[in-house]
Amino acid sequence: MADHDLTDQELADFLEDSLDPIRTATLEKLIRNSPELQERLDRIRIRFDGGEHSLGAVWQRDRLSCPTRDELSAYLNQILDPAPADYLKFHLEVIACPFCLANLEDLQARNAEQTEKNRIRQSRILESSAGLLQKLQEK
Ligand SMILES: [Zn+2]
């Protein structure tokens, strides 16, 4: 689907969050990759909003922005609040944002590395206390 296939009405519906989720996700992908569409969307937003922000428009606009690395990290550790976690899930699984997916992969790799380090450290502590115990028993 090319950019010019989208009508202003459809873009307005997108802003108002009144399209079905699949269409919304499709449009979001198109808009993300098209500065031209982003510009059109901005113009429509100004025209339809008349300066007052509808909740839908604010929500959609925010939805186009990526979460921070801290938020991604919190999401990974499952300590993120349900609402932002839902947004993140949508952003990663439906939008499949390549930037955030790469970021998440990197965080996952770091987490795994950290877990491995902790495991090694823990087994060292265990070994050394076992060794200490043995020494004590030998005395
Ligand atoms: Zn993203």
Side-chain angles (χ1 to χ4, degrees):
M1 187 175 57
D3 291 358
H4 58 256
D5 289 338
L6 286 171
T7 63
D8 280 3
Q9 185 54 54
E10 197 161 25
L11 287 172
D13 287 344
F14 171 78
L15 281 175
E16 293 303 323
D17 208 6
S18 56
L19 296 169
D20 65 86
I22 291 167
R23 190 75 186 136
T24 298
T26 308
L27 252 73
E28 198 165 324
K29 264 185 196 162
L30 284 173
I31 293 162
R32 182 183 281 282
N33 295 319
S34 163
E36 188 203 316
L37 270 180
Q38 286 166 21
E39 236 183 79
R40 263 181 78 190
L41 206 62
D42 260 357
R43 277 201 303 274
I44 290 163
R45 186 169 52 75
I46 292 160
R47 184 145 44 95
F48 278 77
D49 273 2
E52 96 189 62
H53 296 290
S54 82
L55 272 180
V58 172
W59 161 236
Q60 286 296 6
R61 206 173 44 236
D62 286 348
R63 204 148 81 169
L64 286 169
S65 61
C66 290
T68 65
R69 207 171 151 86
D70 281 351
E71 282 173 320
L72 277 173
S73 178
Y75 174 76
L76 206 58
N77 294 312
Q78 298 179 325
I79 52 169
L80 200 63
D81 289 338
D86 275 355
Y87 160 61
L88 244 154
K89 200 171 148 71
F90 179 84
H91 189 77
L92 294 168
E93 290 175 15
V94 181
I95 307 304
C97 170
F99 177 76
C100 289
L101 283 174
N103 229 332
L104 195 71
E105 218 168 274
D106 181 52
L107 283 168
Q108 261 164 340
R110 273 166 208 264
N111 270 8
E113 207 175 289
Q114 196 55 49
T115 309
E116 179 63 10
K117 271 186 196 154
N118 285 346
R119 201 187 56 77
I120 290 168
R121 201 174 50 131
Q122 230 158 24
S123 66
R124 276 203 195 120
I125 291 168
L126 270 175
E127 272 166 30
S128 66
S129 46
L132 193 68
L133 209 65
Q134 211 165 22
K135 268 186 205 154
L136 283 172
Q137 282 168 343
E138 280 165 7
K139 273 182 188 167

